[in-house]
Amino acid sequence: MSLIVMKFGGSSVGSTERMQRVARRIADYREAGNDVVVVVSAMGDTTDELIDQSKLLNANPPAREMDMLLTVGEQISVALLSMTIDSLGFKAKSLTGWQAGIETEDVHGKARITDIEPKRIFEAIESGYAVIVAGFQGATDGGEITTLGRGGSDTTAVALAAAIKADVCEIYTDVDGIYSTDPRIVKCARKLDEISYDEMLELANLGAAVLHPRAVEYAKNYNVKLVVRSSFTQNEGTSVKEEAVMEQGMVVRGIAYDKNVARISILGVEDVPGVLANVFGALASSGIDVDIIVQSGTMEGKADFAFTVSLSDKDRAIAVVESIRGDVPYREVTSEENLVKVSIVGAGMVSNPGVAAKMFKAIYDLGISIKMVTTSEIRLSVIIAAEPAQAVVRALHSAYGLDTAEQAFVGGPQDRR
Ligand code: ASP
Ligand code: MG
């Protein structure tokens, strides 16, 4: 008998029939003698629809009212799911985030969880209920309702699992696990049996949106055993944990692909001390995340440098660079879109000098030029033009021995917000 947290994404509960399927799964776990705490997202596209609806009435709605609105989506799910479980003859009790004891910081739209007081959850479990908790929401100390940011139900599930010391936190989605790369790009992508938190974090941050990065961070910090699996099949899924076994002879676990990049170049910068501190200080205080930074050689006291930001931050980043021209004189600022960041990720990469060379060679063989490179202990990323990027992902997947003989399972509409 175990204590299990199960999380179902929006597409897993997107229709009456899917809701029934989820309820059946929960009932089966109860029947087998397990205690369960279930976290659900809003059904299907509910959150997006609520956002659209709000915009019709106010183009810039107050963040507090937005949270009041969006939390309704998850509350519909928990009530309907509990009723469905009840109809199968099992006891179920729905709780909102704040009823479940989830306390957050005093921020609307992307609050972090500060504390969980799971008293009511334990009481309900003791009384024989499956406990169904609304994902993505909590409340402040002062009783204000907050949300955790898009995709935040994963975080609710992991945080609850840590707080109640669950044996495992199962994340049910519409793909049957974490893949070595996007199966829609590479047909023979492989489903991974296991992956480490650190590798998953790199993949999650790099656009493999199956798991929310903050949830993975949380799982790592509290050592929560995570399993990502399909709500449509009984397949085993992928375990995410501290140390994951690498198949014999493999160094790369997966390949990520991120279209959300823009490059900004600042040309002919006066090469005086403090230039970088100035530029990146200004970007940081505007809340803009900078990823790759490259400074090229200095010529006649002038330097060029380039950095990448997410596409949605591009215009703001240019405005910031223009605003500090007085402090940091430069000739011009330019930007480039239609880029992709392709990354290979694997815990064994550091100790293997040939890994980078193989990547560069595979890309060179396709006649594609690399615009920027960056590395971390377990990842190597290149920025290339968007158009040939899928071919690059395929070539790398095969170069690192990741291809399988079978075609990957591709589920329904991806459960990615
Ligand atoms: N319903 C919220 C969203 O669509 C939270 C979630 O699905 O995790 O972002
Ligand atoms: Mg989701």
Side-chain angles (χ1 to χ4, degrees):
M1 173 166 151
S2 312
L3 175 57
I4 302 173
V5 171
M6 309 167 84
K7 182 259 168 179
F8 294 91
S11 68
S12 299
V13 291
S15 66
T16 304
E17 188 233 319
R18 289 180 176 199
M19 191 70 90
Q20 282 163 333
R21 196 196 302 249
V22 166
R24 188 67 256 169
R25 262 196 123 109
I26 296 165
D28 288 347
Y29 268 24
R30 290 292 295 138
E31 210 149 45
N34 301 297
D35 287 330
V36 295
V37 173
V38 180
V39 173
V40 242
S41 296
M43 294 171 70
D45 295 326
T46 303
T47 307
D48 289 325
E49 285 161 14
L50 290 171
I51 293 171
D52 291 347
Q53 210 178 352
S54 72
K55 300 283 183 220
L56 296 175
L57 296 161
N58 185 340
N60 198 5
R64 178 188 186 278
E65 303 311 324
M66 240 10 235
D67 279 356
M68 192 63 100
L69 177 68
L70 296 187
T71 46
V72 172
E74 270 67 16
Q75 282 172 222
I76 293 173
S77 293
V78 291
L80 289 176
L81 182 57
S82 300
M83 291 174 196
T84 316
I85 296 169
D86 179 82
S87 79
L88 298 176
F90 291 82
K91 287 166 83 173
K93 181 177 275 185
S94 62
L95 297 175
T96 62
W98 52 101
Q99 285 178 322
I102 299 172
E103 196 179 305
T104 74
E105 35 171 47
D106 196 359
V107 174
H108 288 290
K110 53 169 193 306
R112 284 174 181 270
I113 295 174
T114 48
D115 193 21
I116 298 185
E117 189 38 78
K119 189 166 150 281
R120 290 190 66 171
I121 293 182
F122 284 129
E123 280 168 9
I125 289 175
E126 291 284 293
S127 314
Y129 288 96
V131 186
I132 319 296
V133 180
F136 164 68
Q137 55 176 260
T140 67
D141 213 5
E144 288 287 3
I145 292 168
T146 52
T147 59
L148 310 181
R150 296 305 306 269
S153 297
D154 288 350
T155 307
T156 304
V158 176
L160 279 179
I164 65 173
K165 301 197 168 46
D167 295 298
V168 60
C169 177
E170 298 186 329
I171 307 280
Y172 287 86
T173 178
D174 52 8
V175 290
D176 62 359
I178 308 293
Y179 275 80
S180 53
T181 194
D182 187 339
R184 292 168 303 176
I185 297 177
V186 180
K187 293 276 178 291
C188 48
R190 62 171 63 208
K191 196 207 85 195
L192 304 172
D193 291 332
E194 15 184 280
I195 184 169
S196 70
Y197 294 127
D198 288 328
E199 290 169 330
M200 190 63 236
L201 266 178
E202 294 286 1
L203 290 175
N205 285 325
L206 295 168
V210 179
L211 267 184
H212 199 270
R214 200 187 276 179
V216 183
E217 246 168 61
Y218 216 106
K220 178 179 160 64
N221 291 342
Y222 292 91
N223 211 359
V224 175
K225 190 176 169 230
L226 273 180
V227 175
V228 177
R229 57 189 303 190
S230 166
S231 56
F232 303 103
T233 68
Q234 294 293 335
N235 297 352
E236 280 202 1
T238 304
S239 303
V240 190
K241 47 188 173 174
E242 185 59 40
E243 302 246 345
V245 179
M246 195 62 116
E247 243 178 80
Q248 187 68 33
M250 307 272 270
V251 280
V252 170
R253 182 90 60 185
I255 299 173
Y257 167 95
D258 184 4
K259 291 192 274 196
N260 183 22
V261 279
R263 174 161 77 158
I264 308 224
S265 304
I266 313 180
L267 308 173
V269 185
E270 243 18 278
D271 192 25
V272 292
V275 166
L276 290 174
N278 248 311
V279 173
F280 295 102
L283 289 163
S285 41
S286 305
I288 297 172
D289 267 338
V290 173
D291 184 21
I292 307 179
I293 303 172
V294 176
Q295 173 166 15
S296 58
T298 330
M299 279 245 288
E300 291 158 9
K302 308 254 197 246
D304 294 340
F305 59 92
F307 57 91
T308 61
V309 293
S310 38
L311 208 48
S312 50
D313 282 341
K314 189 198 80 180
D315 293 338
R316 280 200 311 134
I318 293 175
V320 168
V321 171
E322 281 169 349
S323 74
I324 54 166
R325 201 168 189 160
D327 302 321
V328 182
Y330 57 83
R331 193 179 70 244
E332 72 175 312
V333 53
T334 63
S335 67
E336 198 179 344
E337 295 183 17
N338 293 319
L339 299 171
V340 161
K341 179 162 79 172
V342 177
S343 309
I344 55 174
V345 173
M349 278 170 45
V350 250
S351 46
N352 268 289
V355 179
K358 187 180 258 183
M359 182 175 197
F360 300 146
K361 171 81 165 53
I363 296 173
Y364 171 74
D365 286 346
L366 292 169
I368 292 160
S369 59
I370 296 173
K371 294 171 184 276
M372 293 169 112
V373 180
T374 179
T375 65
S376 81
E377 279 201 354
I378 61 163
R379 144 169 93 97
L380 205 156
S381 307
V382 296
I383 301 283
I384 56 174
E387 184 252 315
Q390 299 205 354
V392 168
V393 173
R394 275 186 219 107
L396 292 174
H397 199 267
S398 138
Y400 289 103
L402 293 168
D403 290 356
T404 56
E406 304 118 63
Q407 291 229 325
F409 162 87
V410 183
Q414 293 275 62
D415 206 14
R416 9 182 111 183
R417 288 137 42 207

